[in-house]
Amino acid sequence: MKDDLAKLIELIDNGGLNRRAFLGRTAAFGLTAALGTSLLPGAARADEPKKGGVLKLGLGGGESTDAIDPGLADGPVAFNVNRQWGDTIVNVAPDMTIEPSLAEAFESNEDSTVWTFRIRKGVKFHDGSEMTPEDVAATFRRHSDQNAKSGAYGIMQGISDIKVDGDNVVLTMASGNADLPYLLADYHLVVQPGGGVEDPNKGIGTGPYKIASAEPGVRYVFEKNADDWDTTRGHYDSIEFLIINDTTARTAALQSGQVHMINRVDPKVAKLLSRAPGVVVTNASGRGHYVFIMHCNTAPFDNNDLRLALKYAINRQEMVDKILDGYGSVGNDIPINKSYPLFDESLPQREFSIEKAAEHYKASGHDGSPIELIVADGAFPGAVDAAALFQATAKQAGIPLEIKRVPDDGYWSDVWNVKPFCASYWGGRPVQDQMYSTAYLSTADWNDTKFFNKEFDELVLAGRAETDPEKRKEIYSKCAHILWEQGGVICPMFNDFVDAHSETVAGWIEDSNLELMNGFATAKTWFA
């Protein structure tokens, strides 16, 4: 406990923990009353947040096709845009605990089949209307509708009933789910008036900033929400996003002072950039991973021997060394690593093997025609170079891998989840159930490997309902083995989130959930 308390005090000293979050953490130790308010951010401190200024960000991963609809957020810019104007009912904190947001409290019954969320009162949408429990329920219903094409559709399938009871939203599960609050922190589930049913692209939310102008693929401007329900965030007068997909140009914009913050720093230049005057480079290790994804229902990738041939033909350590420059770790063809609770370390590490790659390729009976892998610079930092390394090692096994490089614009709408073999990335999710439910269940809208496996589906649902940790770990181990042996994901590496900002920005904290402090950098930092 002493170590945990020391970490909390360090976070306060760095301006990285607000009053509400501090109270939530110390309550777990039973220390709030004893400590009083002497350590709280509300006390007089030299480093308390300062108000004002225009924060400018240079962001990679934006397209002209990006939508405001939070359900359709499928790239870094769309994710960060929605963080400005919207809130979910709970958030996942940097320490992986659940923080209240639009829901100020929640509880479940004994078997986690019924969850009750008490919705915060007095919260206004940007249009001046008051947020109600009905808006929350309508939001959940919209994302549960397959026609909405929401990225959260997979995780909403476990909810059998959504109803409002006074100030509460009550969710009844098809089977117990102890992880439900983590799932409802999903960044797609932004609460909108009427659930956003009439116009999900309107961008009316409860977030710290309002949308002033939006030019997808070019520029976004946000202004401070004067009626923000959370007074501990949103310290800037306004926020500006400049979409700079070229890595070199984005880095140069930070160094020249054109922007104050950038995402997706190329790991190969991160160490050099960290030595630039006035620049701070940050990295957070976690669950993000870079992948090459094959559609298991499309030839030639419907042949498991061909999939295995490609998995054995990739040199993971070489990619970590040359693409990540050490800012990450080796992957193992599943989306789960040791950052996840209940991770099974007994799963064998798939090693690079020319012999096994050639053996499986021969067994596949492939006709030797070119196997096209589509990549773009924006798929992930170093994606084109990673594809070239993959092509070279595959060639050694006699696999005719052909690289097709395409523009960034339109990649996430026209290539990812559409073409049968491409480069992609995942930011990861807080718990295994959410990662599997979002991207690997047969019913998931974002099942980008088109992996349809009845046994796997049944195991994920069983794991969701199981309350015994050891039994649950065993179930997730079986899930991992099925994906490892039969899945369509080639996961060569887990990446750090490498960002950079001007030294004029204060309040930065490490958050391994997603880039830019899980998208909250604009809400939680300030100008020194």
Side-chain angles (χ1 to χ4, degrees):
M1 184 179 78
K2 187 180 295 183
D3 290 342
D4 288 335
L5 184 58
K7 291 178 181 178
L8 291 180
I9 295 172
E10 182 182 2
L11 277 174
I12 294 171
D13 286 334
N14 291 333
L17 201 65
N18 61 35
R19 181 184 180 91
R20 189 181 70 227
F22 178 83
L23 290 171
R25 307 293 202 287
T26 54
F29 306 141
L31 293 173
T32 308
L35 289 169
T37 59
S38 61
L39 293 177
L40 296 178
R45 307 189 65 83
D47 57 357
E48 73 177 38
K50 297 175 176 63
K51 304 292 184 179
V54 178
L55 181 73
K56 297 184 178 182
L57 288 79
L59 297 181
E63 303 178 1
S64 61
T65 55
D66 283 338
I68 299 296
D69 179 355
L72 302 182
D74 57 5
V77 171
F79 158 71
N80 281 291
V81 165
N82 291 327
R83 282 291 200 229
Q84 310 312 303
W85 65 267
D87 288 312
T88 50
I89 66 168
V90 291
N91 293 320
V92 179
D95 65 0
M96 297 306 296
T97 58
I98 292 293
E99 282 186 334
S101 182
L102 295 181
E104 59 185 0
F106 56 89
E107 62 181 4
S108 73
N109 63 355
E110 188 172 342
D111 61 2
S112 299
T113 56
V114 179
W115 284 85
T116 302
F117 295 84
R118 188 172 76 239
I119 306 305
R120 192 179 299 275
K121 293 182 178 180
V123 178
K124 290 184 178 180
F125 286 114
H126 296 162
D127 61 3
S129 62
E130 186 168 340
M131 183 205 68
T132 67
E134 285 79 7
D135 295 311
V136 175
T139 294
F140 290 161
R141 291 189 189 105
R142 185 175 83 84
H143 290 273
S144 301
D145 181 358
Q146 191 170 16
N147 294 324
K149 303 295 183 184
S150 172
Y153 177 72
I155 64 177
M156 300 300 288
Q157 292 311 291
I159 301 174
S160 61
D161 184 57
I162 302 168
K163 70 178 182 180
V164 173
D165 181 12
D167 295 333
N168 302 317
V169 172
V170 181
L171 304 178
T172 302
M173 313 303 295
S175 58
N177 190 342
D179 289 337
L180 184 65
Y182 287 95
L183 274 62
L184 298 183
D186 187 278
Y187 60 86
H188 300 96
L189 297 175
V190 170
V191 176
Q192 297 177 272
V197 173
E198 291 186 6
D199 185 2
N201 286 291
K202 203 169 184 178
I204 300 297
T206 60
Y209 299 101
K210 301 179 180 181
I211 298 176
S213 65
E215 300 174 72
V218 181
R219 180 174 178 262
Y220 297 84
V221 177
F222 309 88
E223 59 186 27
K224 169 66 181 165
N225 174 18
D227 295 322
D228 190 8
W229 61 273
D230 185 350
T231 58
T232 68
R233 64 180 183 178
H235 308 298
Y236 302 104
D237 292 328
S238 63
I239 306 291
E240 183 176 350
F241 288 179
L242 299 176
I243 311 309
I244 310 174
N245 287 324
D246 182 81
T247 302
T248 302
R250 192 163 62 250
T251 304
L254 177 63
Q255 290 181 277
S256 67
Q258 181 185 1
V259 300
H260 305 100
M261 195 179 290
I262 62 173
N263 68 341
R264 292 190 149 202
V265 174
D266 188 333
K268 295 193 294 294
V269 305
K271 292 173 183 174
L272 179 63
L273 181 62
S274 68
R275 295 196 290 269
V279 172
V280 179
V281 175
T282 63
N283 68 291
S285 302
R287 296 165 296 281
H289 48 287
Y290 298 159
V291 292
F292 298 105
I293 49 177
M294 304 172 283
H295 287 185
C296 297
N297 64 346
T298 305
F301 311 106
D302 54 352
N303 184 305
N304 195 44
D305 273 306
L306 183 75
R307 298 199 297 271
L308 286 170
L310 289 166
K311 291 176 183 179
Y312 280 112
I314 197 164
N315 190 328
R316 293 164 179 76
Q317 189 61 56
E318 181 183 37
M319 289 199 179
V320 171
D321 295 340
K322 294 182 178 179
I323 304 301
L324 299 182
D325 196 23
Y327 286 97
S329 58
V330 168
N332 196 24
D333 299 335
I334 62 171
I336 308 300
N337 66 359
K338 62 182 180 181
S339 298
Y340 283 87
L342 308 179
F343 174 67
D344 177 19
E345 297 191 16
S346 69
L347 183 72
Q349 174 63 51
R350 178 168 281 127
E351 302 290 350
F352 171 54
S353 172
I354 294 299
E355 293 76 17
K356 288 186 177 180
E359 177 185 334
H360 282 288
Y361 182 66
K362 182 178 180 181
S364 75
H366 187 254
D367 61 10
S369 60
I371 299 173
E372 185 178 80
L373 170 61
I374 304 177
V375 299
D377 290 306
F380 59 79
V384 174
D385 290 338
L389 291 175
F390 191 7
Q391 182 183 40
T393 51
K395 184 178 181 180
Q396 297 175 42
I399 302 174
L401 195 59
E402 183 177 277
I403 309 302
K404 181 179 180 181
R405 184 176 181 179
V406 299
D408 288 343
D409 196 43
Y411 189 80
W412 299 110
S413 56
D414 301 332
V415 176
W416 173 76
N417 215 10
V418 176
K419 300 298 183 182
F421 195 22
C422 72
S424 185
Y425 82 100
W426 278 91
R429 295 296 187 270
V431 291
Q432 293 195 45
D433 174 56
Q434 188 176 8
M435 189 67 241
Y436 287 143
S437 297
T438 302
Y440 294 92
L441 274 183
S442 298
T443 55
D445 199 52
W446 279 14
N447 179 1
D448 58 6
T449 57
K450 312 306 177 191
F451 180 66
F452 306 118
N453 186 295
K454 183 179 179 181
E455 181 186 3
F456 179 86
D457 292 348
E458 291 173 349
L459 284 167
V460 171
L461 297 178
R464 182 182 296 169
E466 180 57 63
T467 56
D468 182 280
E470 288 303 315
K471 292 180 180 178
R472 206 176 192 202
K473 183 175 181 179
E474 183 180 343
I475 290 170
Y476 286 141
S477 174
K478 292 178 181 177
C479 290
H481 277 83
I482 290 172
L483 269 187
W484 190 78
E485 293 165 359
Q486 303 174 41
V489 62
I490 301 171
C491 180
M493 48 193 161
F494 281 81
N495 61 288
D496 289 2
F497 294 112
V498 187
D499 305 310
H501 60 270
S502 165
E503 65 179 4
T504 63
V505 172
W508 188 278
I509 59 173
E510 181 178 320
D511 192 326
S512 61
N513 283 297
L514 281 168
E515 67 179 29
L516 295 173
M517 292 172 52
N518 195 20
F520 295 123
T522 55
K524 295 182 177 181
T525 64
W526 61 90
F527 283 130

